Amino acid sequence: MSIRHGLLALLERGPRYGSQLRTEFESRTGSTWPLNVGQVYTTLSRLERDGMVVQDGEDEAGHALYAITDSGRAELRSWFENPVDRTSPARDELSIKLAMAVGAPGVDIRDVIQSQRRHTVKAMQDYTRLKAQAITAVERGGAQERDDVAWLLVLEQLIFQTEAEARWLDHCEARLIRLSAVAAAAGAEAPGPRQGPGPGQAQGPGSAGGAAEAAAGPVPRTGTAPATGSARRR
């Protein structure tokens, strides 16, 4: 998420002060990504350093106002015109958790998947309910219609994201089941008696741990960002 560009987009509508920018940012995104005033002023200081905003006096209450410069407008236009870079995807906690759970002692990765799936489905239901409310607000129109439309688009992205995450979790579980079956079959076909691993010995490919370790390679490395279910409309 680019707070930097989000603030520039709001400033293009006219000079704003820090708390006002925070309120408008959260209103536009339905508080999905809440900001604190410190983040806003830190970002404004960096934008001012880079020549993209300037201080533009004060309002009647004495708040320092910031205005976008021509360089800021050029940066904003470039942001709108160019696609979001996916060559270096952000770290995804769920992907990392499943990758580390594979073959971890005392961890049943299927339990991890099932627990996450329940959370994801609940988040999807919450987002769908909020979407219905947002559609009603958009159809009703009014002074906040721009923010309602923006919030609807954010909600729909979150719904698509959680749907994709649920499908990926189903895929991971099915993949592990297939790999476990293949490892078990390979162990059953091996000639001669098989003995379980002794203390300190590595698990064989036919064991539960070995099957999990065999799954480490195919586990996808780029899952979707986990939904929080905490988005709320203010």
Side-chain angles (χ1 to χ4, degrees):
M1 178 190 63
S2 178
I3 299 174
R4 175 187 180 93
H5 294 100
L7 296 185
L8 286 175
L10 294 173
L11 287 172
E12 194 174 33
R13 298 169 59 187
R16 301 283 195 278
Y17 57 88
S19 296
Q20 187 178 14
L21 286 167
R22 181 192 65 175
T23 299
E24 292 186 10
F25 184 95
E26 293 185 351
S27 179
R28 185 69 65 87
T29 61
S31 298
T32 304
W33 302 286
L35 300 179
N36 60 54
V37 174
Q39 285 178 290
V40 173
Y41 278 107
T42 297
T43 304
L44 286 172
S45 295
R46 291 171 180 167
L47 288 170
E48 185 177 16
R49 177 200 64 194
D50 295 340
M52 296 184 188
V53 304
V54 293
Q55 293 195 36
D56 190 30
E58 299 179 346
D59 66 2
E60 295 177 355
H63 297 117
L65 297 173
Y66 290 82
I68 191 170
T69 65
D70 289 341
S71 295
R73 290 189 179 90
E75 174 70 15
L76 185 61
R77 294 279 80 75
S78 176
W79 185 55
F80 283 138
E81 292 169 2
N82 291 287
V84 174
D85 186 13
R86 300 296 187 192
T87 56
S88 299
R91 293 183 182 90
D92 175 54
E93 183 178 355
L94 178 56
S95 298
I96 294 171
K97 179 188 285 189
L98 292 189
M100 297 302 170
V102 172
V107 176
D108 188 334
I109 191 171
R110 293 185 197 174
D111 287 345
V112 177
I113 291 173
Q114 290 170 6
S115 174
Q116 183 65 41
R117 184 188 289 112
R118 287 192 294 270
H119 175 81
T120 301
V121 169
K122 174 63 167 55
M124 196 185 312
Q125 293 169 345
D126 291 343
Y127 293 148
T128 301
R129 174 178 51 79
L130 290 171
K131 176 184 174 181
Q133 296 175 4
I135 289 175
T136 299
V138 169
E139 292 174 346
R140 187 169 56 241
Q144 298 297 317
E145 184 175 2
R146 187 205 307 254
D147 288 347
D148 291 329
V149 171
W151 172 225
L152 177 60
L153 296 180
V154 170
L155 276 172
E156 289 177 331
Q157 190 270 344
L158 292 171
I159 290 170
F160 286 132
Q161 192 175 67
T162 50
E163 287 175 344
E165 181 172 291
R167 290 196 301 271
W168 178 64
L169 289 167
D170 290 342
H171 166 79
C172 289
E173 187 172 43
R175 170 75 73 187
L176 291 169
I177 290 172
R178 288 195 298 271
L179 289 170
S180 181
V182 169
E189 293 172 1
R194 295 180 57 84
Q195 297 180 351
Q201 291 181 318
Q203 292 174 310
S207 65
E213 290 170 2
V219 170
R221 297 181 180 270
T222 54
T224 58
T228 64
S230 61
R232 56 188 174 83
R233 188 72 173 97
R234 288 186 178 176

